Amino acid sequence: MQLRYAMTGLVVVLSLAGCQRTAYDYSSNASAGPAPLTAQPVPSVQGGQLPPPTGSSQFPAAPASTSPMPGAQPGAMAANALDITKESMVGSWRVNGSCDMFLTLTNLGSGSRGGTRGCVGELTAMGSWEVAGKQVLLKDRSGNQLGSVYKTADNRFEGQTSTGQSISLSR
């Protein structure tokens, strides 16, 4: 039995003998640091006046009205739209066959959180959505409406953005 304790003690002593401290030794040459960088020459800066903006306003004129989607009237679309529920909208949707839209039930302002991936144009700013009657309103993070879609078939929605670009959602 004593041989067993002696062997265990010997193994512990040998294993501890191989250990060493790996922390930085602050006492060795503490004043030696990296060499300072040499300064780079900087070209001279020039100043002057900018020309005045052209035209009477620096912003373009706002559009007079939003035009409906070509070939379809929103009223006709709403009349033929199928009933929808908020719960049926939750999940991933393919937008115009080229990018993805994700809709959740997490509250964000007056609607629910949503977003897009890989989309271009107005839909890149989408941040929320809500169901209003037979339409789904797509909004930016500030609550401004970006567009709306109506249910035209199972897992299919059609509509347009506020600038008249057509939108189709499908699964």
Side-chain angles (χ1 to χ4, degrees):
M1 186 81 154
Q2 289 182 359
L3 179 61
R4 182 183 202 185
Y5 291 124
M7 291 300 288
T8 304
L10 181 61
V11 168
V12 169
V13 169
L14 287 176
S15 63
L16 290 176
C19 294
Q20 66 179 354
R21 185 175 174 179
T22 58
Y24 179 73
D25 185 11
Y26 291 102
S27 63
S28 67
N29 201 2
S31 64
L37 298 174
T38 57
Q40 297 294 315
V42 178
S44 63
V45 178
Q46 298 176 357
Q49 289 291 92
L50 292 174
T54 60
S56 61
S57 172
Q58 65 188 58
F59 300 106
S65 66
T66 58
S67 59
M69 182 173 68
Q73 297 297 324
M77 213 181 289
N80 298 330
L82 302 171
D83 291 329
I84 56 174
T85 63
K86 196 170 188 178
E87 291 76 18
S88 68
M89 293 298 301
V90 174
S92 176
W93 293 88
R94 194 76 177 150
V95 181
N96 296 339
S98 63
C99 64
D100 297 312
M101 180 181 291
F102 305 97
L103 306 177
T104 70
L105 289 177
T106 307
N107 289 338
L108 181 67
S110 65
S112 297
R113 187 176 303 276
T116 60
R117 178 180 58 197
C119 292
V120 296
E122 291 176 276
L123 292 179
T124 59
M126 184 189 158
S128 69
W129 64 282
E130 66 182 81
V131 174
K134 291 186 174 187
Q135 67 179 336
V136 178
L137 304 177
L138 308 174
K139 299 180 175 187
D140 64 13
R141 295 191 196 310
S142 301
N144 302 317
Q145 186 172 335
L146 296 174
S148 63
V149 292
Y150 298 90
K151 186 173 184 177
T152 57
D154 284 343
N155 295 322
R156 181 106 181 133
F157 287 78
E158 300 287 333
Q160 65 185 16
T161 65
S162 56
T163 59
Q165 178 186 7
S166 64
I167 305 172
S168 75
L169 304 178
S170 60
R171 293 198 215 220

